Each structure stands twice: as structure tokens, then as C-alpha cells.
Amino acid sequence: MLDRRVVVRTLLGGAGLVALLALVVGGANAVVLLGGRGAKTDPQAVPHAQAALVLGALVQADGRPSGMLEDRIRAAAALYRDGRVDKVLASGDHGRPDYDEVNAMRRELVRLGVPDKDVFTDHAGFATLDSVVRARKVFNVHSVVVVTQGFHMPRALWLARRAGLTAQGLE
């Protein structure tokens, strides 16, 4: 038969471990949420930046942007038209010949009135971290308006700022 004290200590130790894990995960989320503040929903309220950084999302099999990506593209085009950004950097997945987020974004941005000469493409933006680091180190961008949806924004802004970008967001 098990000693009652051993069982109690084991249960308390396990509960302590679970509480510590919850504290670590909750703390990390709090850091990202607090450090990722600053997103706007109105393009008119966004301060001027060098570029709109449009983060990639699903492209349909026929090459059309998904609804989520279309929302991001429209928001970036509005920022450009309003003079809030000088350029648009489309960053996404183009790691396979049969899947191309980046050129789908470029085509749609140009269709919406952004001059082709002002659209830059990052074909290696496989993840948000890749996109923000490459914006700074490869494309020499210093200030951005990150364009993504609200659920993704705190993490995207937190990562952009950690990559050395002056970053605001537009949801």
C-alpha cells in the first residue's frame, strides 16, 4: 500500500509543475500581447512608414488570394493610396513552383492601383519571423505598417519590433 504522505507530495509536486508551466506560458503570452500593441483598424489613423509589410496567407489552387489574404492586400493598397506608406513589401511562401503567395499579392496590388515599381516581393517569407527579419536585413526597411488580421497582429508586431523595425499595425 502506498504511503499517504508520498501520494500527497507527488500530487502537490505535479500540481506545482502544472502551475509553473501555466505561469511560463501565460507570462510569455502576456509579453507578446503587451509588446504587440499599436494596431489600428482605420488606414487614416496609421502614421507614415517606409513600407506596408503584407504577410502572406493562403492562395487558392487557381492562384487567387483567399479572402483573408485579399483583406490584407486591400488594406495595404489603401495605405499606399492614402500616402501612409511609400512602398509595399509582399512577403509570403513561394517555396514550390505550384504555390505562389507573393506573385498573387503583387498582381492584386497592381490591379488595385499600386504601381508595380512600388511593390517589392519577398519569396522567402515562409513564417512571420522570416518576413520581419528579411524586411530589415534584406530589404533595408526601418519602419513598417504590418498588415494582417487581428488574431495574428500582436505576435507579428512583437516579432517586427524584436527584429529592429519601427512597427505599427493595420488590421
Side-chain angles (χ1 to χ4, degrees):
M1 184 135 180
L2 291 174
D3 182 0
R4 185 182 200 117
R5 287 176 291 186
V6 171
V7 172
V8 169
R9 270 189 294 209
T10 302
L11 288 174
L12 288 175
L17 224 68
V18 168
L20 180 62
L21 180 62
L23 185 61
V24 168
V25 170
N29 281 322
V31 167
V32 169
L33 288 171
L34 293 173
R37 291 182 297 184
K40 309 285 188 215
T41 55
D42 177 8
Q44 298 280 327
V46 175
H48 183 268
Q50 276 180 293
L53 174 59
V54 186
L55 299 173
L58 179 71
V59 171
Q60 306 296 336
D62 64 3
R64 288 179 304 115
S66 62
M68 183 181 293
L69 186 54
E70 186 66 37
D71 289 344
R72 295 176 189 186
I73 293 166
R74 277 196 220 103
L79 287 169
Y80 183 87
R81 280 193 309 271
D82 291 348
R84 303 288 176 189
V85 295
D86 302 323
K87 308 286 182 190
V88 177
L89 175 55
S91 184
D93 185 351
H94 188 192
R96 301 184 327 253
D98 63 330
Y99 187 77
D100 184 359
E101 294 174 357
V102 178
N103 284 310
M105 288 188 271
R106 176 190 283 280
R107 281 190 303 274
E108 192 65 13
L109 285 160
V110 169
R111 189 186 72 73
L112 292 171
V114 180
D116 191 64
K117 69 178 180 54
D118 288 336
V119 178
F120 292 85
T121 53
D122 176 9
H123 294 261
F126 301 112
T128 305
L129 179 60
D130 298 327
S131 296
V132 297
V133 167
R134 290 174 55 78
R136 178 73 186 92
K137 292 187 175 184
V138 175
F139 292 90
N140 200 32
V141 173
H142 298 281
S143 63
V144 295
V145 178
V146 177
V147 183
T148 190
Q149 276 72 24
F151 70 88
H152 183 224
M153 188 62 72
R155 181 175 164 274
L157 285 176
W158 187 82
L159 288 170
R161 292 170 182 154
R162 293 309 153 296
L165 295 166
T166 300
Q168 299 296 317
L170 179 64
E171 299 176 3

